[in-house]
Amino acid sequence: MISQLFLIAFTISFVVPMEIQKSPPPPDTSCPWVGLDCLFNDISATGNIQTWQECAAACAAHKTCAYWSWRGPTAWMNPYGCWLKSGCPQVISDPSMVSGAYTCVA
């Protein structure tokens, strides 16, 4: 049983590249989180948001928003997208993303 678990963990470590492995988010005081995408807990998604500051302001004004993620203009999918989130248990590396806590507005 233990050897099977080791084999699975070993296989996953080679199949999942380092840049997409999940990790806990930085502290809320680190503002903004450039190059990180806050995963899960989406409240809403909006397109055509021109700056991360505009996305952050939308989160700050939303009653249940705790975190936000904004996709920049260089993204191949959903450029200028803004996702408001009720939580941020994990982040992944994505050079087109900027994320932060609701307190990060500028």
Side-chain angles (χ1 to χ4, degrees):
M1 175 73 168
I2 292 185
S3 62
Q4 290 172 332
L5 290 175
F6 176 76
L7 180 60
I8 291 169
F10 184 75
T11 303
I12 290 172
S13 69
F14 283 101
V15 173
V16 179
M18 290 300 288
E19 63 269 10
I20 64 167
Q21 288 187 349
K22 300 171 188 170
S23 62
D28 290 356
T29 55
S30 176
C31 174
W33 308 334
V34 177
L36 294 177
D37 184 10
C38 190
L39 297 178
F40 313 121
N41 300 305
D42 292 351
I43 298 169
S44 67
T46 306
N48 202 29
I49 302 297
Q50 298 302 306
T51 66
W52 70 261
Q53 292 92 339
E54 190 178 340
C55 183
C59 180
H62 192 284
K63 192 173 191 174
T64 60
C65 184
Y67 296 91
W68 52 269
S69 289
W70 177 76
R71 187 165 280 143
T74 60
W76 64 272
M77 187 172 83
N78 299 321
Y80 299 108
C82 174
W83 290 263
L84 305 185
K85 299 166 177 289
S86 61
C88 183
Q90 297 175 323
V91 294
I92 60 170
S93 177
D94 183 335
S96 69
M97 297 295 291
V98 179
S99 299
Y102 76 97
T103 55
C104 177
V105 292

